[in-house]
Amino acid sequence: MIKIEKLLRGEEVISKEAGNSMLPILKSKQPVRLKPIKWDECEVGDIVLCKVKGNIYTHLVKGKNMKRGLLIGNNHGHINGWTKIVYGKVIEILDK
């Protein structure tokens, strides 16, 4: 993915992810501005672009553990799992 490559190079990107798992915070394909971030700089409540069990998500940080990483889930109570693979943090939600 080009946006992940840009984030890994230290660039901010605009991303639009499809799906309703983050409603009402984010609508499907609503653009967001992402800044590069490392997992250990994230806090509970942040929205991050990350990889969990081989899947890429723009989801919420639900928990943080220095050994396991970040616990990732959607805005409807589903938990995706733990990861330390985080590419970017949502710093701005843009109008659709």
Side-chain angles (χ1 to χ4, degrees):
M1 286 182 141
I2 293 172
K3 64 185 162 193
I4 290 174
E5 292 171 14
K6 286 183 176 184
L7 287 164
L8 291 172
R9 288 194 306 259
E11 300 175 38
E12 287 187 5
V13 299
I14 304 294
S15 178
K16 297 181 196 179
E17 300 297 323
N20 295 311
S21 64
M22 286 296 291
L23 283 172
I25 299 170
L26 296 176
K27 298 173 187 163
S28 182
K29 296 189 180 178
Q30 184 169 10
V32 295
R33 184 180 313 280
L34 295 160
K35 76 169 188 171
I37 196 166
K38 296 180 180 167
W39 78 267
D40 56 351
E41 299 168 337
C42 297
E43 300 296 333
V44 172
D46 287 346
I47 302 172
V48 296
L49 177 67
C50 61
K51 184 184 247 185
V52 183
K53 299 177 186 171
N55 297 306
I56 305 292
Y57 299 101
T58 301
H59 274 179
L60 289 165
V61 175
K62 300 283 193 165
K64 184 174 180 179
N65 178 289
M66 293 312 287
K67 287 188 179 181
R68 298 179 83 184
L70 302 176
L71 184 61
I72 302 298
N74 67 22
N75 199 37
H76 299 278
H78 178 77
I79 299 297
N80 299 94
W82 292 95
T83 189
K84 290 184 178 179
I85 304 171
V86 176
Y87 306 108
K89 173 184 169 180
V90 173
I91 57 170
E92 184 180 4
I93 298 171
L94 305 165
D95 291 332
K96 197 167 186 181

